[in-house]
């Protein structure tokens, strides 16, 4: 084996020497022989002085040397570009290998029995998504799957508060399941740059979750429990919340364009200054909900229960209130109703408008506040 290696090295050295000799011979021909031949051909047998012939040969030689130099420069530039490209491909391959290793380790961490290890894995995936747009959609899907598997609704065991307990006795999500809160926050941040593909987070236990400022558009929350969650200034455009439990949820100033809240339980929800234009609340329960100064242009409330809801200053122009129950709902002169809607026949109570709606308190308190009992059964 050693002898074969020596022979290969010797053969490579001989080839290199032969290549150098060939290059030098070619240069000698180009610089010494070829200029004279070119001049003789151009003269075509004409007689000129020795000085003129030498000048002509030197001119041709200079031109040929410049051409050779230009060729060498171009070849060097191509070789450099090619080497840079090879190096870049190598760096990319190395980088992809590192990302794959980090990705695998982070996913393995999600299966740990220790909460802090799972949180570390979720943050590692988040960082990978920030640095690799190619992996962002995969990371978002993993976070959604993490929520579905770790916080199913209804809760299957004793580790989570039971379904029937008072919401006031349920700790915020960030304390009872901090890893799930990290997954939800990461998902809502990464979704800002996500294409509008459908994402499944249905039937999850998100009671008292902190969703403030997140992007949760085109997400399926069907059947999920978001009771007393803080969803302040959240983008829920085209999200699906069919049959979701959203009692006492904070939806102030959130965007719910074309959101599907069919048969959702929104009793006692705060939707102050929210924009739910063209949203669908058909057969939803909105008793005692606060919709002051909200924009509901073109929204559907067919069959919805709006008894004792606060509609002062709410824009309901073009809304569908077919079969909606508004008995005891509060309204003011600033409330905008659909054309020809009979508020007296609907049982709406006209009261004084409260004026400009103040900003709500810091959202840290929204997921820890004690919610009042509902007056509606």
């Amino acid at each position: 084996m050693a002898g074969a290696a020596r022979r290969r090295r010797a053969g490579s050295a001989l080839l290199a020497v032969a290549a150098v000799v060939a290059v030098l011979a070619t240069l000698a021909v180009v610089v010494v022989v070829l200029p004279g031949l070119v001049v003789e051909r151009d003269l075509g047998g004409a007689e000129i002085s020795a000085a003129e012939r030498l000048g002509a040969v030197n001119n041709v030689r200079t031109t040929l040397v410049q051409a050779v130099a230009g060729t060498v420069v171009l070849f060097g530039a191509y070789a450099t570009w090619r080497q840079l490209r090879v190096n870049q491909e190598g760096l990319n391959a190395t980088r992809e290998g590192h990302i794959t290793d980090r990705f695998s380790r982070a996913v393995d961490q999600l299966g740990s029995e220790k909460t802090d290890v799972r949180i570390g894995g979720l943050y590692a995936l988040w960082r990978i998504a920030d640095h690799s747009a190619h992996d962002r959609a995969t990371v978002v899907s993993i976070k959604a799957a993490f929520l579905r598997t770790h916080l199913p609704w209804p809760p299957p065991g004793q580790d989570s508060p039971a379904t029937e307990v008072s919401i006031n006795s349920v700790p915020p999500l960030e304390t009872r399941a901090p890893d799930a809160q990290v997954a939800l926050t990461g998902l809502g941040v990464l979704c800002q740059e996500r294409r509008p593909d459908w994402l499944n987070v249905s039937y999850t236990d998100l009671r008292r979750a902190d969703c403030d400022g997140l992007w949760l558009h085109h997400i399926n929350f069907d059947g999920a429990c978001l009771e007393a969650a803080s969803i302040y200034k959240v983008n829920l455009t085209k999200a699906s919340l069919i049959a979701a439990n959203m009692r006492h949820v904070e939806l102030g100033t959130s965007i719910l364009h074309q959101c599907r809240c069919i048969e959702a339980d929104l009793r006692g929800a705060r939707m102050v200054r929210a924009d739910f234009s063209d949203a669908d609340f058909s057969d939803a329960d909105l008793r005692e909900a606060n919709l002051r100064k909200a924009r509901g242009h073109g929204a559907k409330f067919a069959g919805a229960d709006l008894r004792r809801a606060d509609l002062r200053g709410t824009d309901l122009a073009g809304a569908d209130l077919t079969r909606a129950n508004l008995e005891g709902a509060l309204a003011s002169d600033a409330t905008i109703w659909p054309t020809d809607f009979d508020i007296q026949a609907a049982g709406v109570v006209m009261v004084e408008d409260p004026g400009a709606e103040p900003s709500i308190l810091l959202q840290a308190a929204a997921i820890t506040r004690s919610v009042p009992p509902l007056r509606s059964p």
Side-chain angles (χ1 to χ4, degrees):
M1 295 297 291
R6 283 196 296 270
R7 285 194 296 271
R8 283 196 298 271
R9 286 196 296 269
S12 299
L14 289 174
L15 287 175
V17 170
V20 171
V21 171
V23 170
L24 292 176
T26 301
L27 288 175
V29 171
V30 170
V31 174
V32 178
V33 180
L34 189 58
L37 297 176
V38 172
V39 170
E40 292 295 337
R41 180 180 178 282
D42 290 344
L43 289 176
E47 294 293 333
I48 60 173
S49 65
E52 290 176 337
R53 186 178 185 284
L54 180 59
V57 170
N58 286 336
N59 289 337
V60 173
R61 182 177 290 120
T62 301
T63 302
L64 290 174
V65 169
Q66 290 175 345
V68 171
T71 302
V72 171
V73 170
L74 289 176
F75 179 78
Y78 170 77
T80 302
W81 171 82
R82 181 63 183 169
Q83 186 62 43
L84 288 174
R85 185 162 183 185
V86 170
N87 292 342
Q88 186 62 47
E89 290 174 353
L91 289 174
N92 289 338
T94 302
R95 178 174 175 270
E96 288 296 324
H98 288 163
I99 290 177
T100 301
D101 291 341
R102 290 166 54 198
F103 194 94
S104 299
R105 288 196 300 269
V107 171
D108 288 341
Q109 286 178 280
L110 299 185
S112 173
E113 295 182 356
K114 298 180 179 180
T115 302
D116 55 345
V117 176
R118 295 197 298 270
I119 291 175
L122 289 165
Y123 274 118
L125 287 173
W126 192 343
R127 186 173 178 81
I128 290 171
D130 281 337
H131 289 82
S132 174
H134 176 73
D135 296 301
R136 185 171 294 123
T138 302
V139 171
V140 169
S141 297
I142 290 174
K143 289 181 179 289
F146 183 88
L147 290 171
R148 292 196 308 271
T149 55
H150 284 72
L151 283 179
W153 180 260
Q158 302 297 325
D159 295 336
S160 299
T163 57
E164 64 274 5
V165 301
S166 169
I167 190 60
N168 289 327
S169 63
V170 176
L173 182 62
E174 63 185 13
T175 57
R176 66 182 173 91
D179 51 346
Q181 181 64 67
V182 170
L184 178 62
T185 303
L187 184 150
V189 172
L190 294 173
C191 278
Q192 185 171 0
E193 300 180 10
R194 177 179 65 95
R195 295 178 302 178
D197 298 326
W198 199 244
L199 191 65
N200 184 19
V201 194
S202 60
Y203 294 97
T204 49
D205 182 5
L206 299 175
R207 287 174 288 180
R208 292 195 180 277
D210 183 2
C211 307
D212 295 345
L214 300 181
W215 286 66
L216 301 174
H217 57 93
H218 293 83
I219 292 184
N220 178 9
F221 286 108
D222 292 350
C225 184
L226 291 147
E227 189 171 3
S230 185
I231 313 178
Y232 182 69
K233 286 189 177 180
V234 174
N235 188 337
L236 284 162
T237 299
K238 293 187 177 180
S240 185
L241 291 151
I242 297 174
N245 180 350
M246 302 175 71
R247 289 193 295 267
H248 302 290
V249 71
E250 172 60 67
L251 280 164
T253 68
S254 288
I255 301 173
L256 293 89
H257 293 168
Q258 302 180 43
C259 186
R260 296 187 298 176
C261 297
I262 302 169
E263 298 182 353
D265 186 351
L266 285 149
R267 285 177 289 170
R270 276 180 53 89
M271 304 173 69
V272 177
R273 292 185 296 162
D275 187 349
F276 47 83
S277 301
D278 299 315
D280 192 347
F281 293 92
S282 297
D283 298 313
D285 193 343
L286 288 143
R287 285 176 288 174
E288 303 178 44
N290 186 346
L291 286 75
R292 289 198 303 267
K293 303 297 187 296
R295 295 186 295 276
H297 187 87
K300 297 179 181 179
F301 290 95
D305 194 341
L306 287 154
R307 286 177 289 174
R308 296 185 178 182
D310 192 342
L311 303 174
R312 289 177 289 177
T314 306
D315 181 2
L316 294 171
D320 181 4
L321 296 172
T322 306
R323 298 182 292 103
N325 189 343
L326 288 101
E327 188 69 33
L330 302 180
S332 66
D333 293 337
T335 303
I336 302 175
W337 297 99
T339 304
D340 300 327
F341 182 74
D342 191 343
I343 59 176
Q344 291 184 345
V348 175
V349 178
M350 297 297 295
V351 295
E352 184 179 355
D353 192 85
E357 194 68 31
S359 298
I360 64 175
L361 298 176
L362 293 176
Q363 291 310 296
I367 55 176
T368 57
R369 63 186 174 89
S370 179
V371 300
L374 294 167
R375 293 174 292 172
S376 304

